[in-house]
Amino acid sequence: MVFRREKIWLQGLLIMLVVSLSFGLLQRLTSPVASQPQPLFDAVWETVNDNFYDPDFNGVDWSALGEQYRPQVAASEEKATLINQMLSQLNTSHTHLYTPDEPAYYQLLGIFYPRISEFKTRLADRFPEGKLEYTGLGIVTHEKAGNTFIKAIFDGGSADKAGLKVGDQILSVAGEPFHPIRSFLGQAGRPVQMQVRPNGNSQKAVTVTPRLYDGITMFLEAMDNSIEVIQKAGKQIGYVHIWSYAGDQYQEKLENELFYGRLKDADALVLDLRDGWGGAPLTALNVYTARGPSLTNIGRDRTPVTYRSQWNKPVVMLVNGGSRSAKEILAYGFQQYDIGPVVGTTTAGAVTAGRAFIMPDDSLLYVAVADVYVDETIRLEGVGVTPDVTVPFPVEYAQGADPQKERAIATALDRLNNPSAKQ
């Protein structure tokens, strides 16, 4: 009798286990796609959840937002687009998912890759030689009303050499719609036909030769190629465009050119910080504000050569809506400490501290990990810096004209002719 009861009990338990397991299997087979594992989405959500600088997520219910977007991302082919829509709800800069399908991925990776050893290990298969390369033209594009315009051109790059101009509308590449990465895959060093519209009434064919751009070195190269001395009204106006400030190499390059190189004999300087990336060190302004002795060497031929450690001549800064992060702090410092006038349009208002994280598919998640205040109380995030001299620059069909640069040169001349002038 005891054995019979135990047998019945074991049979009942077995039936319950079978029903339970079957129910669980049925749930997995019939539950909505939201319950399925999503390595990319889960990694993004959890990384933001664990690292975003505000534990209250700027007033956003981050858990609810995750539940809202999770099934949408699972059902979509445009996962990165939807994830970035979700991230934009945080209303914070330095918070975005970048994929290998866009130049910014390689450029941002070029900032963090040399500094974080984990990146080299995680991305060894994708970049076995440590070169973060993509094939492109060396341009920054601007979208308006479904049209793509060239907003900026890297000096000495493929677009520059082909004669493309800021303001050109890109119509097609090799007969296909333009894409900054896919249009040039496998085309490095090979001529490619583009159709562009330089103005609103005509179009033309341009032959360009795409090249490989390395996210680690490309901005220093573009900076070097930008340096020029402009002869104007009997004066020499030095010019340099710093596309990225994220690394000591950019400030070292600038100071070397100012004191020993091509800019040392210039009467004034135009410092162009438009577009690109931030990252500038706080000491970047010391070259304009520090005091120290000069050094003059006189050799056998009796020709004196004088070296200085600070720039004590007029300097004008150029900014626009693409000037972001630490570049905005430099613009603030220019105004606050009366170093020189700032020309252009209001900066991006993107001043948090960001860190990059590699996701399971090798995409790059940028997360704002710290809020930033300048001089302890000034918050530039969402505000930006308004220039002393505002110069609008409508890019569309500009045909290579640069009214902001021209105004900056004129402002530098005015400073030379009127040293006491504030603008």
Side-chain angles (χ1 to χ4, degrees), residues 23-87:
F23 180 72
L25 177 61
L26 183 63
Q27 272 195 315
R28 288 194 292 274
L29 291 174
T30 61
S31 61
V33 70
S35 67
Q36 303 301 317
Q38 293 190 58
L40 176 59
F41 182 88
D42 293 342
V44 169
W45 189 91
E46 290 169 7
T47 301
V48 173
N49 189 65
D50 294 343
N51 293 278
F52 190 69
Y53 75 90
D54 181 5
D56 294 324
F57 299 97
N58 267 353
V60 171
D61 187 333
W62 184 240
S63 294
L65 204 62
E67 291 301 316
Q68 174 188 339
Y69 274 92
R70 199 171 198 279
Q72 297 180 41
V73 172
S76 175
E77 295 295 325
E78 302 294 331
K79 298 186 185 303
T81 300
L82 283 172
I83 287 172
N84 279 321
Q85 286 181 12
M86 178 181 71
L87 295 175

Short mmCIF file of all heavy atoms in Angstrom, two decimals, residues 23-87:
data_model
loop_
_atom_site.label_atom_id
_atom_site.label_comp_id
_atom_site.label_asym_id
_atom_site.label_seq_id
_atom_site.Cartn_x
_atom_site.Cartn_y
_atom_site.Cartn_z
N PHE A 23 4.79 23.64 -20.86
CA PHE A 23 4.25 24.99 -20.82
C PHE A 23 5.35 26.02 -21.06
O PHE A 23 5.19 26.99 -21.79
CB PHE A 23 3.58 25.24 -19.46
CG PHE A 23 2.99 26.63 -19.34
CD1 PHE A 23 1.84 26.97 -20.05
CD2 PHE A 23 3.60 27.58 -18.53
CE1 PHE A 23 1.31 28.24 -19.95
CE2 PHE A 23 3.07 28.85 -18.43
CZ PHE A 23 1.91 29.18 -19.13
N GLY A 24 6.54 25.75 -20.43
CA GLY A 24 7.66 26.67 -20.63
C GLY A 24 8.11 26.69 -22.07
O GLY A 24 8.41 27.73 -22.63
N LEU A 25 8.15 25.49 -22.69
CA LEU A 25 8.54 25.42 -24.10
C LEU A 25 7.51 26.14 -24.96
O LEU A 25 7.85 26.87 -25.89
CB LEU A 25 8.65 23.95 -24.53
CG LEU A 25 8.99 23.70 -26.01
CD1 LEU A 25 10.35 24.32 -26.33
CD2 LEU A 25 9.00 22.21 -26.31
N LEU A 26 6.22 25.93 -24.64
CA LEU A 26 5.16 26.60 -25.39
C LEU A 26 5.27 28.11 -25.27
O LEU A 26 5.10 28.85 -26.24
CB LEU A 26 3.80 26.11 -24.89
CG LEU A 26 2.57 26.67 -25.64
CD1 LEU A 26 2.61 26.19 -27.09
CD2 LEU A 26 1.28 26.21 -24.95
N GLN A 27 5.61 28.58 -24.05
CA GLN A 27 5.80 30.01 -23.86
C GLN A 27 6.90 30.55 -24.74
O GLN A 27 6.77 31.60 -25.36
CB GLN A 27 6.14 30.31 -22.39
CG GLN A 27 4.93 30.51 -21.51
CD GLN A 27 5.35 31.14 -20.21
OE1 GLN A 27 6.34 30.75 -19.59
NE2 GLN A 27 4.60 32.12 -19.78
N ARG A 28 8.02 29.81 -24.78
CA ARG A 28 9.15 30.30 -25.57
C ARG A 28 8.83 30.31 -27.05
O ARG A 28 9.31 31.11 -27.82
CB ARG A 28 10.38 29.43 -25.30
CG ARG A 28 10.97 29.66 -23.93
CD ARG A 28 12.37 29.04 -23.83
NE ARG A 28 12.33 27.59 -23.88
CZ ARG A 28 12.14 26.81 -22.83
NH1 ARG A 28 11.97 27.36 -21.64
NH2 ARG A 28 12.15 25.49 -22.95
N LEU A 29 7.97 29.34 -27.45
CA LEU A 29 7.64 29.26 -28.87
C LEU A 29 6.60 30.28 -29.28
O LEU A 29 6.56 30.71 -30.43
CB LEU A 29 7.12 27.85 -29.20
CG LEU A 29 8.16 26.71 -29.13
CD1 LEU A 29 7.47 25.37 -29.34
CD2 LEU A 29 9.26 26.91 -30.17
N THR A 30 5.73 30.66 -28.34
CA THR A 30 4.60 31.53 -28.71
C THR A 30 4.71 32.93 -28.14
O THR A 30 3.94 33.79 -28.53
CB THR A 30 3.28 30.91 -28.20
OG1 THR A 30 3.33 30.79 -26.78
CG2 THR A 30 3.06 29.54 -28.81
N SER A 31 5.68 33.19 -27.22
CA SER A 31 5.78 34.53 -26.62
C SER A 31 6.26 35.51 -27.66
O SER A 31 6.90 35.13 -28.64
CB SER A 31 6.75 34.51 -25.44
OG SER A 31 8.03 34.13 -25.87
N PRO A 32 5.98 36.81 -27.49
CA PRO A 32 6.40 37.82 -28.46
C PRO A 32 7.92 37.87 -28.56
O PRO A 32 8.64 37.48 -27.65
CB PRO A 32 5.84 39.13 -27.90
CG PRO A 32 5.57 38.85 -26.46
CD PRO A 32 5.23 37.39 -26.38
N VAL A 33 8.40 38.44 -29.70
CA VAL A 33 9.82 38.47 -29.98
C VAL A 33 10.61 39.24 -28.92
O VAL A 33 11.80 39.08 -28.77
CB VAL A 33 10.05 39.07 -31.39
CG1 VAL A 33 9.73 40.56 -31.38
CG2 VAL A 33 11.46 38.83 -31.87
N ALA A 34 9.90 40.07 -28.15
CA ALA A 34 10.59 40.87 -27.13
C ALA A 34 11.30 40.03 -26.10
O ALA A 34 12.23 40.48 -25.46
CB ALA A 34 9.58 41.78 -26.43
N SER A 35 10.84 38.76 -25.91
CA SER A 35 11.46 37.93 -24.88
C SER A 35 12.70 37.21 -25.37
O SER A 35 13.40 36.59 -24.60
CB SER A 35 10.44 36.91 -24.37
OG SER A 35 10.15 35.98 -25.40
N GLN A 36 12.96 37.27 -26.67
CA GLN A 36 14.13 36.59 -27.21
C GLN A 36 15.40 37.37 -26.87
O GLN A 36 15.39 38.59 -26.77
CB GLN A 36 13.99 36.45 -28.73
CG GLN A 36 12.73 35.71 -29.17
CD GLN A 36 12.68 34.30 -28.62
OE1 GLN A 36 13.68 33.60 -28.60
NE2 GLN A 36 11.51 33.89 -28.15
N PRO A 37 16.53 36.66 -26.72
CA PRO A 37 17.78 37.35 -26.45
C PRO A 37 18.15 38.31 -27.57
O PRO A 37 18.01 37.99 -28.75
CB PRO A 37 18.80 36.20 -26.36
CG PRO A 37 17.98 34.99 -26.05
CD PRO A 37 16.67 35.20 -26.74
N GLN A 38 18.59 39.49 -27.20
CA GLN A 38 19.02 40.50 -28.16
C GLN A 38 20.38 41.03 -27.68
O GLN A 38 20.42 42.00 -26.93
CB GLN A 38 18.01 41.64 -28.26
CG GLN A 38 16.68 41.26 -28.85
CD GLN A 38 15.84 42.48 -29.13
OE1 GLN A 38 16.24 43.37 -29.86
NE2 GLN A 38 14.66 42.52 -28.53
N PRO A 39 21.47 40.42 -28.10
CA PRO A 39 22.78 40.82 -27.58
C PRO A 39 23.08 42.30 -27.73
O PRO A 39 23.56 42.93 -26.78
CB PRO A 39 23.75 39.96 -28.41
CG PRO A 39 22.95 38.77 -28.82
CD PRO A 39 21.55 39.27 -29.02
N LEU A 40 22.80 42.89 -28.90
CA LEU A 40 23.11 44.31 -29.11
C LEU A 40 22.23 45.19 -28.24
O LEU A 40 22.73 46.04 -27.49
CB LEU A 40 22.96 44.68 -30.58
CG LEU A 40 23.16 46.18 -30.89
CD1 LEU A 40 24.56 46.64 -30.47
CD2 LEU A 40 22.92 46.47 -32.37
N PHE A 41 20.92 44.99 -28.33
CA PHE A 41 20.01 45.85 -27.57
C PHE A 41 20.28 45.73 -26.08
O PHE A 41 20.35 46.73 -25.36
CB PHE A 41 18.56 45.49 -27.87
CG PHE A 41 17.58 46.37 -27.15
CD1 PHE A 41 17.15 47.56 -27.72
CD2 PHE A 41 17.10 46.03 -25.89
CE1 PHE A 41 16.26 48.40 -27.05
CE2 PHE A 41 16.22 46.86 -25.21
CZ PHE A 41 15.79 48.04 -25.80
N ASP A 42 20.41 44.50 -25.60
CA ASP A 42 20.65 44.29 -24.17
C ASP A 42 21.95 44.95 -23.72
O ASP A 42 22.01 45.56 -22.65
CB ASP A 42 20.69 42.80 -23.86
CG ASP A 42 19.34 42.12 -24.06
OD1 ASP A 42 18.32 42.84 -24.10
OD2 ASP A 42 19.31 40.88 -24.17
N ALA A 43 22.99 44.83 -24.54
CA ALA A 43 24.29 45.42 -24.18
C ALA A 43 24.20 46.94 -24.13
O ALA A 43 24.75 47.57 -23.22
CB ALA A 43 25.36 44.99 -25.17
N VAL A 44 23.49 47.54 -25.10
CA VAL A 44 23.33 49.00 -25.10
C VAL A 44 22.55 49.45 -23.87
O VAL A 44 22.97 50.36 -23.15
CB VAL A 44 22.62 49.46 -26.40
CG1 VAL A 44 22.21 50.92 -26.28
CG2 VAL A 44 23.52 49.26 -27.60
N TRP A 45 21.39 48.81 -23.66
CA TRP A 45 20.55 49.23 -22.53
C TRP A 45 21.29 49.10 -21.20
O TRP A 45 21.27 50.01 -20.37
CB TRP A 45 19.26 48.40 -22.51
CG TRP A 45 18.26 48.93 -21.52
CD1 TRP A 45 17.27 49.84 -21.74
CD2 TRP A 45 18.20 48.61 -20.12
NE1 TRP A 45 16.59 50.10 -20.59
CE2 TRP A 45 17.13 49.37 -19.57
CE3 TRP A 45 18.92 47.77 -19.29
CZ2 TRP A 45 16.78 49.29 -18.23
CZ3 TRP A 45 18.57 47.70 -17.94
CH2 TRP A 45 17.52 48.45 -17.42
N GLU A 46 21.95 47.97 -20.99
CA GLU A 46 22.64 47.73 -19.72
C GLU A 46 23.85 48.66 -19.55
O GLU A 46 24.13 49.12 -18.43
CB GLU A 46 23.09 46.27 -19.65
CG GLU A 46 21.91 45.30 -19.50
CD GLU A 46 22.31 43.86 -19.70
OE1 GLU A 46 23.53 43.60 -19.83
OE2 GLU A 46 21.42 42.99 -19.74
N THR A 47 24.57 48.95 -20.64
CA THR A 47 25.73 49.84 -20.53
C THR A 47 25.30 51.24 -20.14
O THR A 47 25.91 51.88 -19.28
CB THR A 47 26.50 49.88 -21.86
OG1 THR A 47 26.92 48.55 -22.20
CG2 THR A 47 27.73 50.77 -21.75
N VAL A 48 24.23 51.71 -20.75
CA VAL A 48 23.70 53.03 -20.37
C VAL A 48 23.17 52.98 -18.94
O VAL A 48 23.42 53.90 -18.14
CB VAL A 48 22.59 53.47 -21.35
CG1 VAL A 48 21.91 54.75 -20.85
CG2 VAL A 48 23.17 53.69 -22.74
N ASN A 49 22.46 51.93 -18.62
CA ASN A 49 21.90 51.79 -17.28
C ASN A 49 22.97 51.84 -16.20
O ASN A 49 22.77 52.42 -15.12
CB ASN A 49 21.13 50.48 -17.17
CG ASN A 49 20.34 50.36 -15.89
OD1 ASN A 49 19.41 51.12 -15.65
ND2 ASN A 49 20.71 49.40 -15.05
N ASP A 50 24.14 51.28 -16.49
CA ASP A 50 25.21 51.19 -15.49
C ASP A 50 26.17 52.37 -15.51
O ASP A 50 26.90 52.57 -14.53
CB ASP A 50 26.02 49.91 -15.73
CG ASP A 50 25.21 48.65 -15.48
OD1 ASP A 50 24.15 48.74 -14.83
OD2 ASP A 50 25.63 47.58 -15.96
N ASN A 51 26.19 53.15 -16.60
CA ASN A 51 27.25 54.15 -16.73
C ASN A 51 26.77 55.58 -16.98
O ASN A 51 27.57 56.52 -16.84
CB ASN A 51 28.19 53.76 -17.89
CG ASN A 51 28.97 52.50 -17.60
OD1 ASN A 51 29.99 52.51 -16.94
ND2 ASN A 51 28.46 51.38 -18.11
N PHE A 52 25.52 55.78 -17.35
CA PHE A 52 25.04 57.14 -17.63
C PHE A 52 25.20 58.02 -16.40
O PHE A 52 24.93 57.59 -15.27
CB PHE A 52 23.58 57.08 -18.06
CG PHE A 52 23.06 58.38 -18.60
CD1 PHE A 52 23.51 58.88 -19.82
CD2 PHE A 52 22.11 59.11 -17.91
CE1 PHE A 52 23.01 60.08 -20.33
CE2 PHE A 52 21.60 60.30 -18.40
CZ PHE A 52 22.06 60.80 -19.62
N TYR A 53 25.63 59.25 -16.62
CA TYR A 53 26.04 60.10 -15.49
C TYR A 53 24.91 60.45 -14.53
O TYR A 53 25.14 60.71 -13.34
CB TYR A 53 26.67 61.40 -16.03
CG TYR A 53 25.69 62.41 -16.58
CD1 TYR A 53 25.13 63.38 -15.75
CD2 TYR A 53 25.33 62.42 -17.91
CE1 TYR A 53 24.23 64.31 -16.25
CE2 TYR A 53 24.45 63.34 -18.43
CZ TYR A 53 23.90 64.28 -17.60
OH TYR A 53 23.01 65.20 -18.10
N ASP A 54 23.67 60.46 -15.01
CA ASP A 54 22.55 60.84 -14.16
C ASP A 54 21.77 59.59 -13.76
O ASP A 54 21.17 58.93 -14.61
CB ASP A 54 21.63 61.81 -14.92
CG ASP A 54 20.45 62.28 -14.08
OD1 ASP A 54 20.39 61.92 -12.88
OD2 ASP A 54 19.59 63.01 -14.61
N PRO A 55 21.76 59.22 -12.48
CA PRO A 55 21.02 58.02 -12.06
C PRO A 55 19.53 58.14 -12.28
O PRO A 55 18.83 57.13 -12.29
CB PRO A 55 21.36 57.92 -10.56
CG PRO A 55 21.75 59.30 -10.15
CD PRO A 55 22.42 59.92 -11.35
N ASP A 56 19.03 59.37 -12.49
CA ASP A 56 17.61 59.57 -12.79
C ASP A 56 17.37 59.68 -14.29
O ASP A 56 16.24 59.96 -14.72
CB ASP A 56 17.09 60.82 -12.08
CG ASP A 56 17.10 60.66 -10.56
OD1 ASP A 56 16.83 59.54 -10.10
OD2 ASP A 56 17.37 61.64 -9.86
N PHE A 57 18.41 59.50 -15.09
CA PHE A 57 18.31 59.46 -16.55
C PHE A 57 17.58 60.68 -17.13
O PHE A 57 16.73 60.58 -18.00
CB PHE A 57 17.63 58.17 -17.01
CG PHE A 57 18.37 56.94 -16.60
CD1 PHE A 57 18.02 56.23 -15.46
CD2 PHE A 57 19.47 56.50 -17.33
CE1 PHE A 57 18.72 55.11 -15.07
CE2 PHE A 57 20.18 55.37 -16.94
CZ PHE A 57 19.80 54.68 -15.82
N ASN A 58 17.94 61.85 -16.60
CA ASN A 58 17.34 63.11 -17.09
C ASN A 58 15.82 63.09 -17.05
O ASN A 58 15.14 63.66 -17.92
CB ASN A 58 17.82 63.42 -18.52
CG ASN A 58 19.03 64.32 -18.53
OD1 ASN A 58 19.46 64.83 -17.50
ND2 ASN A 58 19.62 64.52 -19.70
N GLY A 59 15.28 62.42 -16.04
CA GLY A 59 13.83 62.37 -15.87
C GLY A 59 13.13 61.35 -16.73
O GLY A 59 11.89 61.28 -16.73
N VAL A 60 13.89 60.54 -17.47
CA VAL A 60 13.31 59.51 -18.34
C VAL A 60 13.21 58.19 -17.57
O VAL A 60 14.12 57.82 -16.83
CB VAL A 60 14.17 59.32 -19.60
CG1 VAL A 60 13.70 58.11 -20.41
CG2 VAL A 60 14.14 60.58 -20.45
N ASP A 61 12.10 57.48 -17.73
CA ASP A 61 11.96 56.15 -17.16
C ASP A 61 12.71 55.19 -18.08
O ASP A 61 12.17 54.70 -19.08
CB ASP A 61 10.48 55.76 -17.07
CG ASP A 61 10.27 54.45 -16.32
OD1 ASP A 61 11.20 53.61 -16.31
OD2 ASP A 61 9.17 54.25 -15.77
N TRP A 62 13.96 54.91 -17.74
CA TRP A 62 14.83 54.14 -18.63
C TRP A 62 14.35 52.70 -18.78
O TRP A 62 14.43 52.12 -19.87
CB TRP A 62 16.26 54.19 -18.10
CG TRP A 62 17.28 53.51 -18.96
CD1 TRP A 62 18.09 52.47 -18.64
CD2 TRP A 62 17.61 53.84 -20.33
NE1 TRP A 62 18.91 52.13 -19.69
CE2 TRP A 62 18.63 52.95 -20.74
CE3 TRP A 62 17.14 54.79 -21.23
CZ2 TRP A 62 19.18 52.99 -22.02
CZ3 TRP A 62 17.69 54.84 -22.51
CH2 TRP A 62 18.69 53.94 -22.89
N SER A 63 13.82 52.14 -17.71
CA SER A 63 13.30 50.78 -17.80
C SER A 63 12.11 50.71 -18.74
O SER A 63 12.02 49.81 -19.59
CB SER A 63 12.91 50.27 -16.41
OG SER A 63 14.05 50.15 -15.58
N ALA A 64 11.18 51.65 -18.59
CA ALA A 64 10.01 51.67 -19.47
C ALA A 64 10.40 51.92 -20.92
O ALA A 64 9.82 51.33 -21.84
CB ALA A 64 9.03 52.74 -18.99
N LEU A 65 11.40 52.77 -21.11
CA LEU A 65 11.87 53.06 -22.48
C LEU A 65 12.46 51.80 -23.11
O LEU A 65 12.25 51.53 -24.29
CB LEU A 65 12.90 54.18 -22.44
CG LEU A 65 13.09 54.99 -23.73
CD1 LEU A 65 11.80 55.70 -24.11
CD2 LEU A 65 14.21 56.01 -23.55
N GLY A 66 13.18 51.03 -22.31
CA GLY A 66 13.72 49.77 -22.80
C GLY A 66 12.63 48.81 -23.21
O GLY A 66 12.72 48.15 -24.26
N GLU A 67 11.58 48.70 -22.40
CA GLU A 67 10.47 47.82 -22.73
C GLU A 67 9.74 48.29 -23.98
O GLU A 67 9.25 47.48 -24.78
CB GLU A 67 9.49 47.76 -21.55
CG GLU A 67 10.04 47.05 -20.33
CD GLU A 67 10.44 45.62 -20.62
OE1 GLU A 67 9.66 44.92 -21.32
OE2 GLU A 67 11.53 45.19 -20.19
N GLN A 68 9.68 49.58 -24.17
CA GLN A 68 9.01 50.14 -25.35
C GLN A 68 9.78 49.82 -26.64
O GLN A 68 9.19 49.43 -27.65
CB GLN A 68 8.87 51.66 -25.20
CG GLN A 68 8.32 52.35 -26.44
CD GLN A 68 8.39 53.87 -26.33
OE1 GLN A 68 8.47 54.44 -25.23
NE2 GLN A 68 8.37 54.55 -27.46
N TYR A 69 11.10 49.98 -26.59
CA TYR A 69 11.90 49.84 -27.81
C TYR A 69 12.36 48.41 -28.08
O TYR A 69 12.70 48.08 -29.22
CB TYR A 69 13.11 50.77 -27.74
CG TYR A 69 12.80 52.17 -28.23
CD1 TYR A 69 12.40 53.15 -27.33
CD2 TYR A 69 12.91 52.50 -29.58
CE1 TYR A 69 12.10 54.44 -27.77
CE2 TYR A 69 12.63 53.77 -30.02
CZ TYR A 69 12.22 54.75 -29.11
OH TYR A 69 11.94 56.01 -29.55
N ARG A 70 12.38 47.58 -27.05
CA ARG A 70 12.94 46.24 -27.23
C ARG A 70 12.24 45.45 -28.34
O ARG A 70 12.91 44.93 -29.24
CB ARG A 70 12.87 45.48 -25.90
CG ARG A 70 13.81 44.30 -25.84
CD ARG A 70 13.86 43.73 -24.42
NE ARG A 70 15.04 42.90 -24.25
CZ ARG A 70 15.11 41.64 -24.66
NH1 ARG A 70 14.08 41.10 -25.25
NH2 ARG A 70 16.22 40.94 -24.48
N PRO A 71 10.92 45.34 -28.36
CA PRO A 71 10.27 44.60 -29.45
C PRO A 71 10.42 45.29 -30.80
O PRO A 71 10.50 44.62 -31.83
CB PRO A 71 8.81 44.53 -29.01
CG PRO A 71 8.63 45.64 -28.03
CD PRO A 71 9.94 45.78 -27.32
N GLN A 72 10.47 46.62 -30.81
CA GLN A 72 10.65 47.34 -32.07
C GLN A 72 12.01 47.02 -32.69
O GLN A 72 12.12 46.77 -33.89
CB GLN A 72 10.52 48.85 -31.84
CG GLN A 72 9.17 49.31 -31.35
CD GLN A 72 9.12 50.81 -31.15
OE1 GLN A 72 9.65 51.59 -31.94
NE2 GLN A 72 8.50 51.24 -30.06
N VAL A 73 13.04 47.03 -31.86
CA VAL A 73 14.39 46.74 -32.35
C VAL A 73 14.48 45.30 -32.82
O VAL A 73 15.08 44.99 -33.86
CB VAL A 73 15.43 47.02 -31.25
CG1 VAL A 73 16.82 46.54 -31.67
CG2 VAL A 73 15.47 48.53 -30.93
N ALA A 74 13.86 44.39 -32.09
CA ALA A 74 13.91 42.97 -32.45
C ALA A 74 13.28 42.72 -33.81
O ALA A 74 13.73 41.85 -34.58
CB ALA A 74 13.21 42.13 -31.39
N ALA A 75 12.24 43.48 -34.14
CA ALA A 75 11.50 43.25 -35.38
C ALA A 75 12.04 44.04 -36.56
O ALA A 75 11.56 43.90 -37.68
CB ALA A 75 10.03 43.59 -35.17
N SER A 76 13.03 44.89 -36.33
CA SER A 76 13.50 45.80 -37.37
C SER A 76 14.87 45.41 -37.90
O SER A 76 15.71 44.87 -37.19
CB SER A 76 13.55 47.23 -36.81
OG SER A 76 14.11 48.12 -37.76
N GLU A 77 15.11 45.73 -39.17
CA GLU A 77 16.44 45.60 -39.76
C GLU A 77 17.29 46.81 -39.42
O GLU A 77 18.52 46.75 -39.49
CB GLU A 77 16.32 45.45 -41.28
CG GLU A 77 15.61 44.18 -41.73
CD GLU A 77 16.39 42.93 -41.37
OE1 GLU A 77 17.63 42.97 -41.42
OE2 GLU A 77 15.75 41.90 -41.04
N GLU A 78 16.65 47.93 -39.10
CA GLU A 78 17.36 49.18 -38.78
C GLU A 78 17.55 49.29 -37.27
O GLU A 78 17.03 50.20 -36.64
CB GLU A 78 16.59 50.38 -39.34
CG GLU A 78 16.36 50.34 -40.84
CD GLU A 78 17.67 50.45 -41.62
OE1 GLU A 78 18.61 51.08 -41.11
OE2 GLU A 78 17.73 49.89 -42.73
N LYS A 79 18.27 48.36 -36.70
CA LYS A 79 18.40 48.30 -35.25
C LYS A 79 19.12 49.52 -34.69
O LYS A 79 18.70 50.10 -33.68
CB LYS A 79 19.11 47.02 -34.84
CG LYS A 79 18.36 45.75 -35.24
CD LYS A 79 19.02 44.52 -34.70
CE LYS A 79 18.32 43.25 -35.21
NZ LYS A 79 16.89 43.21 -34.90
N ALA A 80 20.21 49.93 -35.33
CA ALA A 80 20.98 51.07 -34.82
C ALA A 80 20.15 52.34 -34.86
O ALA A 80 20.22 53.17 -33.95
CB ALA A 80 22.26 51.23 -35.62
N THR A 81 19.34 52.50 -35.92
CA THR A 81 18.50 53.69 -36.03
C THR A 81 17.50 53.77 -34.88
O THR A 81 17.33 54.82 -34.24
CB THR A 81 17.74 53.69 -37.37
OG1 THR A 81 18.70 53.69 -38.44
CG2 THR A 81 16.85 54.91 -37.50
N LEU A 82 16.86 52.65 -34.58
CA LEU A 82 15.89 52.64 -33.48
C LEU A 82 16.57 52.80 -32.13
O LEU A 82 16.05 53.51 -31.25
CB LEU A 82 15.09 51.34 -33.52
CG LEU A 82 13.98 51.27 -34.57
CD1 LEU A 82 13.41 49.86 -34.64
CD2 LEU A 82 12.89 52.28 -34.28
N ILE A 83 17.71 52.17 -31.96
CA ILE A 83 18.44 52.32 -30.70
C ILE A 83 18.83 53.77 -30.48
O ILE A 83 18.71 54.31 -29.37
CB ILE A 83 19.67 51.40 -30.67
CG1 ILE A 83 19.23 49.94 -30.49
CG2 ILE A 83 20.63 51.80 -29.56
CD1 ILE A 83 20.35 48.93 -30.64
N ASN A 84 19.24 54.45 -31.54
CA ASN A 84 19.60 55.86 -31.41
C ASN A 84 18.38 56.73 -31.15
O ASN A 84 18.50 57.77 -30.48
CB ASN A 84 20.37 56.33 -32.64
CG ASN A 84 21.84 55.94 -32.58
OD1 ASN A 84 22.46 56.00 -31.52
ND2 ASN A 84 22.41 55.53 -33.70
N GLN A 85 17.23 56.33 -31.65
CA GLN A 85 16.01 57.05 -31.28
C GLN A 85 15.76 56.93 -29.78
O GLN A 85 15.39 57.90 -29.12
CB GLN A 85 14.82 56.49 -32.06
CG GLN A 85 14.78 56.89 -33.52
CD GLN A 85 13.56 56.33 -34.24
OE1 GLN A 85 12.62 55.83 -33.60
NE2 GLN A 85 13.57 56.40 -35.55
N MET A 86 15.98 55.74 -29.25
CA MET A 86 15.82 55.53 -27.82
C MET A 86 16.82 56.37 -27.04
O MET A 86 16.47 57.06 -26.06
CB MET A 86 15.99 54.05 -27.47
CG MET A 86 15.90 53.74 -25.99
SD MET A 86 16.13 51.98 -25.60
CE MET A 86 17.90 51.79 -25.93
N LEU A 87 18.09 56.34 -27.47
CA LEU A 87 19.13 57.10 -26.76
C LEU A 87 18.86 58.61 -26.82
O LEU A 87 19.17 59.33 -25.87
CB LEU A 87 20.50 56.79 -27.37
CG LEU A 87 21.00 55.36 -27.22
CD1 LEU A 87 22.30 55.17 -27.99
CD2 LEU A 87 21.20 55.00 -25.74
#
